[in-house]
Amino acid sequence: MRSLPLPLALTARLSPVVVLATAGWALSSGPDATPAPEDRTAAQRTEEEAPDAPATAAASKTYTAAPSPCGSLSEKSIKGLVPGAKTAGKEIPSTDKTLRRTCSWNALKGYEYRWLDVSFEITESEEAAAESYKGRLADRSGGGEVPGVGDAGYSVVNLTTEDKQQTREGVVIVRTSNALVSVTYSGSDFESKKAPATDEINKGAIKAAREAVAALEDGAKG
C-alpha cells in the first residue's frame, strides 16, 4: 500500500475569480436572483439522490497470483541445501493454486537426511498479509528478525527428539507487500542420531528464503 504532488493551478484560477467578482457585483445591484423555494427543493433532491462517491479507492495489490515455488531456487542452492534431491522439486497439491503454492525437496544421502519446503501465499492486501504475519509469529518464540529481506522477516530454529533421534528444523517467514513467503528446512543424521547444528539449519533456511523472495519480487517486476 503514496501521496502525489498537488496540482499548481493558482495562476489559472486568479482570472476567473476577478471576472466572477465583477459579475457578482452587477448581479447584486439588479433583480433578485435567489431561487424560488420549489427550485431549492429540486436542487436538494438532486443532491440527495446522487450516488455517494467511494470513500477510498480499491487497494492495489503487488501480487495477484502465487508463482511456482519450484522455480524459485537455483539448482546450486538446492544441491547445497538438500544433497541428492531432484532439483525440479515436487509441488504439493493445493486447494487454490492462485493463492497458495508449496514446493518440496527431500533426500537421504548416506545417513544424512534433509527436507526443504518453500511456500508462496497471496493475500487480499498488505494489511491482511501483515495481520497474518503477526499471527504466525505469535505461535513461534525464541527466534529473531531477519534484516534486509522483504518488508519483514523472522526466523526460528527448534530441536525435537523422537525415539532418541534428533531433528532440527528452521522456519523463516517473510512478508513482502501482500504476499507471504514461508521456508521450512530440517535435517537429521540417522547414524549418530544427532541433528545438524543450529547455525547450519538457520543459515540454510534464511538463504532459501532470500532467494525465494527475490524470485517473487523479480516476477512481479516482469
Side-chain angles (χ1 to χ4, degrees):
M1 339 76 206
R2 296 180 171 79
S3 60
L4 298 175
L6 294 174
L8 302 178
L10 292 179
T11 303
R13 292 176 181 172
L14 289 178
S15 296
V17 169
V18 175
V19 173
L20 289 174
T22 305
W25 177 83
L27 288 172
S28 64
S29 61
D32 184 15
T34 304
E38 60 271 17
D39 292 334
R40 288 201 303 272
T41 302
Q44 292 173 351
R45 188 183 303 116
T46 302
E47 291 179 359
E48 292 172 356
E49 293 175 354
D52 294 335
T56 57
S60 60
K61 296 196 294 184
T62 302
Y63 307 102
T64 56
S68 171
C70 290
S72 63
L73 303 184
S74 68
E75 290 188 3
K76 181 180 179 181
S77 294
I78 296 169
K79 290 178 180 179
L81 294 170
V82 192
K86 294 181 179 180
T87 55
K90 180 180 180 181
E91 184 158 355
I92 307 302
S94 173
T95 54
D96 191 341
K97 294 180 69 173
T98 301
L99 300 180
R100 182 179 177 83
R101 299 179 74 173
T102 300
C103 190
S104 181
W105 297 264
N106 63 86
L108 176 65
K109 188 172 183 179
Y111 294 98
E112 296 283 342
Y113 183 72
R114 296 291 184 274
W115 183 294
L116 174 66
D117 283 347
V118 174
S119 298
F120 291 142
E121 183 177 342
I122 308 302
T123 66
E124 287 298 318
S125 64
E126 288 191 16
E127 291 74 14
E131 190 66 24
S132 179
Y133 176 83
K134 181 180 178 181
R136 296 188 188 192
L137 264 58
D139 297 331
R140 302 179 183 276
S141 60
E145 294 184 1
V146 180
V149 58
D151 295 312
Y154 180 86
S155 71
V156 62
V157 179
N158 290 309
L159 177 67
T160 59
T161 303
E162 185 175 350
D163 294 331
K164 299 183 179 180
Q165 174 63 60
Q166 293 183 345
T167 299
R168 186 163 270 119
E169 179 183 86
V171 176
V172 177
I173 302 171
V174 177
R175 182 185 74 80
T176 173
S177 188
N178 65 303
L180 293 172
V181 179
S182 301
V183 170
T184 302
Y185 182 49
S186 62
S188 300
D189 185 326
F190 293 137
E191 183 177 33
S192 67
K193 299 292 185 179
K194 301 294 184 180
T198 299
D199 194 51
E200 177 187 340
I201 293 299
N202 190 46
K203 286 183 177 179
I206 292 174
K207 174 182 173 61
R210 289 187 185 280
E211 202 166 323
V213 171
L216 178 65
E217 294 175 344
D218 288 345
K221 295 175 184 176

